Amino acid sequence: MSEFRNLSAVVFDYDGTLVDYGEARKAALVTAARLLASELSMDERRVLLELEALQRSMEIYQTLDRDIWWLQAARELGASLENNVAAQVTAAYWREWQKIARPFPVANKVLRALKEKGYRLALVANTDGKPGMKFARMSSSGIDMTVFDLILVAGDDVPDTKPSPQPFITALGFLGLQGHEAIYVGDDPRVDVPGAKEAGMYVIIVSSSACAQEVPPDIILGDLTQLSLALRSQRFRGLQLLTVWTRTCR
């Protein structure tokens, strides 16, 4: 059983935790495939299949600059792409993403409720690979940004991205807190857990499809609405969804 005391802050991830990006991610990749297929004079389906395979590996290795994705995809397809064209594809990709992504229905309600209870709130999210892009997306996302005491974009505001502990340690320093005084709430155990745990924070993963990782979170919730209950309980016993850990990561 994990217990926590003197909890002062709840720190959130962004994509997948506060904002539903599932359909946006798919649509944005289709947009990129269409533009690349036109530029390279190739079949769009062929390009899309290459991008889908490339996306998986790029996300595993946290290669976040989409320009690199398109340049690599062109090479894999036996072609070449100008840097300025890659930048144009990236801009269109994020425009499509932002057009479709929406806050989870309960996100703002949960944030405001936590704020009213006296918790300090913060955001620690990875860069989109272009300085300022992630902050711009967050600012126009529909999430109430006024509730946050700190917004830190790892890779923009600090050199290292998650899963490095550096973003979390820096955030705690700005908040004037020790690790055990904060909980990090994310959706991806592989990216969100190791660094936060190394910084001494508790970690909650909100996911219906999480799978086993070397460093487990303290608790897994199936839905963001369960967060207030988890914090009120002052302990995690009985809230872990242990069956989640039978899933195989791919």
Side-chain angles (χ1 to χ4, degrees), residues 157-178:
D157 300 320
V158 295
D160 293 344
T161 57
K162 300 183 297 180
S164 166
Q166 184 198 36
F168 303 102
I169 293 170
T170 301
L172 290 168
F174 275 116
L175 293 170
L177 298 175
Q178 298 182 42

Side-chain angles (χ1 to χ4, degrees), residues 160-229:
D160 293 344
T161 57
K162 300 183 297 180
S164 166
Q166 184 198 36
F168 303 102
I169 293 170
T170 301
L172 290 168
F174 275 116
L175 293 170
L177 298 175
Q178 298 182 42
H180 68 271
E181 297 177 291
I183 278 182
Y184 189 67
V185 183
D187 71 303
D188 186 342
R190 178 178 52 83
V191 176
D192 293 327
V193 177
K197 296 289 281 186
E198 190 171 339
M201 302 171 71
Y202 297 104
V203 183
I204 291 177
I205 290 296
V206 181
S207 174
S208 60
S209 59
C211 57
Q213 299 290 330
E214 184 176 345
V215 183
D218 293 286
I219 180 174
I220 303 170
L221 300 178
D223 189 280
L224 197 59
T225 57
Q226 298 173 335
L227 180 58
S228 294
L229 173 62

Side-chain angles (χ1 to χ4, degrees), residues 4-26:
F4 52 90
R5 305 176 188 276
N6 303 317
L7 184 65
S8 300
V10 184
V11 184
F12 287 88
D13 174 47
Y14 175 71
D15 286 310
T17 301
L18 297 176
V19 173
D20 184 354
Y21 69 92
E23 293 304 315
R25 178 173 176 265
K26 296 175 185 176

Side-chain angles (χ1 to χ4, degrees), residues 29 48-58:
L29 205 67
L48 180 59
L49 289 172
E50 179 62 39
L51 289 184
E52 288 174 342
L54 187 66
Q55 177 177 252
R56 287 190 289 272
S57 63
M58 290 294 187

